[in-house]
Amino acid sequence: GAGVSQTPSNKVTEKGKYVELRCDPISGHTALYWYRQSLGQGPEFLIYFQGTGAADDSGLPNDRFFAVRPEGSVSTLKIQRTERGDSAMYLCASSAQTGASGNTIYFGEGSWLTVV
Amino acid sequence: AQSVAQPEDQVNVAEGNPLTVKCTYSVSGNPYLFWYVQYPNRGLQFLLKYITGDNLVKGSYGFEAEFNKSQTSFHLKKPSALVSDSALYFCAVRDPMDSSYKLIFGSGTRLLVRP
C-alpha cells in the first residue's frame, strides 16, 4: 500500500479483555516497529521486527504484551488481560532496512486503545 | 543511553514570524536526528533528518533544522510561520550503533501559530 495501515483506528475494551491491533507496513519494507504513545507524551518504543523475527523486544512493558509477524509483512500486537493503564495510541511504523541506519521510519495513523 | 530533550512544552508565534522549536540530544556516537509532526488524533509525519554532511537540513513544508555538534542540538526552524503549522512536533534520535535502528523520541513541543 501507499502508507502504513493500522486497524482498528479506535478500540474500546473492558478491563481484563484481550485485544489485537493490526499493522500493514509499506510494501517492501522489511523493518517494522511498534510504539506506544500516552496522552501528552512522546512515542515509546515497544518492539522491532526485521523480517519475521522480533529482533528487539526490549520495550515491551510486561508479558501481557506480545507481537507477531509470521510472514514478514503484516504484524499483530496482542495485549492480554488489558488494564486501564494500557489506554494509549499504539503506533506502527516501517522502514526499508537495507543496512543503512539512516533510513526513514514511516508511521501509520495509529490505533487508539481505551480500556474501561 | 541515548536521549532527547525538548525543553519547551509549547511555543507561541505570530503568523509570518520566524519560529524555532528546540531539541538537544545525548548519544554515545555520531547521532542520526529526525523531526516529526503530529496533527490531532493522527500519526507522525516525517519532516526531515540529519545523517551526515551539511549541518543545515531542509525538509517538508518549508522547515529546516540545524545540527550543532558542539551544542548537541538540532533545532527546528521556519522563516515564516503559518497558522496551519500549529501541531505537535517531536525530535528523535537514532544511535547508529543500535542494530535495531529504533528512534528515541522527545516529549514533544506544541507549536501554536496565531493569526
Side-chain angles (χ1 to χ4, degrees):
Chain A
V4 179
S5 176
Q6 291 189 245
T7 54
S9 54
N10 283 285
K11 175 72 176 178
V12 180
T13 191
E14 292 180 348
K15 178 175 178 293
K17 299 289 188 184
Y18 169 80
V19 165
E20 288 190 352
L21 306 175
R22 175 189 166 106
C23 173
D24 198 345
I26 293 172
S27 178
H29 280 190
T30 58
L32 185 145
Y33 302 80
W34 284 98
Y35 281 77
R36 178 169 70 174
Q37 184 180 18
S38 300
L39 211 56
Q41 298 184 20
E44 295 177 321
F45 169 77
L46 294 176
I47 188 169
Y48 157 67
F49 287 90
Q50 179 56 257
T52 60
D56 182 351
D57 63 359
S58 61
L60 294 178
N62 52 60
D63 61 5
R64 295 187 297 106
F65 289 75
F66 190 71
V68 296
R69 196 185 184 198
E71 298 178 357
S73 55
V74 171
S75 175
T76 305
L77 178 66
K78 307 181 180 195
I79 310 173
Q80 298 177 324
R81 304 183 304 280
T82 51
E83 300 177 356
R84 292 195 178 88
D86 298 335
S87 296
M89 176 181 267
Y90 289 83
L91 293 162
C92 180
S94 70
S95 79
Q97 205 78 301
T98 59
S101 60
N103 288 338
T104 298
I105 294 179
Y106 296 95
F107 284 81
E109 292 293 310
S111 291
W112 272 107
L113 174 65
T114 302
V115 182
V116 297
Chain B
Q2 62 241 41
S3 65
V4 173
Q6 294 182 243
E8 303 154 317
D9 289 336
Q10 183 163 314
V11 169
N12 298 306
V13 65
E15 187 174 33
N17 283 0
L19 69 88
T20 299
V21 182
K22 295 180 180 177
C23 171
T24 59
Y25 66 88
S26 173
V27 68
S28 55
N30 292 320
Y32 293 169
L33 295 156
F34 298 75
W35 275 101
Y36 286 82
V37 61
Q38 186 175 38
Y39 295 97
N41 300 316
R42 305 292 299 275
L44 276 68
Q45 294 181 29
F46 169 73
L47 279 179
L48 52 79
K49 65 182 177 183
Y50 171 81
I51 303 301
T52 187
D54 195 348
N55 289 343
L56 184 64
V57 178
K58 293 188 183 297
S60 306
Y61 313 119
F63 284 94
E64 57 189 30
E66 185 167 11
F67 172 64
N68 187 317
K69 188 172 183 177
S70 63
Q71 296 185 4
T72 63
S73 67
F74 189 56
H75 300 333
L76 181 70
K77 301 182 180 185
K78 187 173 182 180
S80 178
L82 299 173
V83 172
S84 57
D85 293 330
S86 298
L88 196 52
Y89 290 80
F90 290 99
C91 182
V93 67
R94 172 188 284 154
D95 183 344
M97 303 304 291
D98 179 356
S99 60
S100 78
Y101 308 124
K102 63 180 175 285
L103 295 178
I104 303 300
F105 286 87
S107 55
T109 298
R110 186 167 303 280
L111 174 65
L112 182 60
V113 182
R114 59 185 185 276

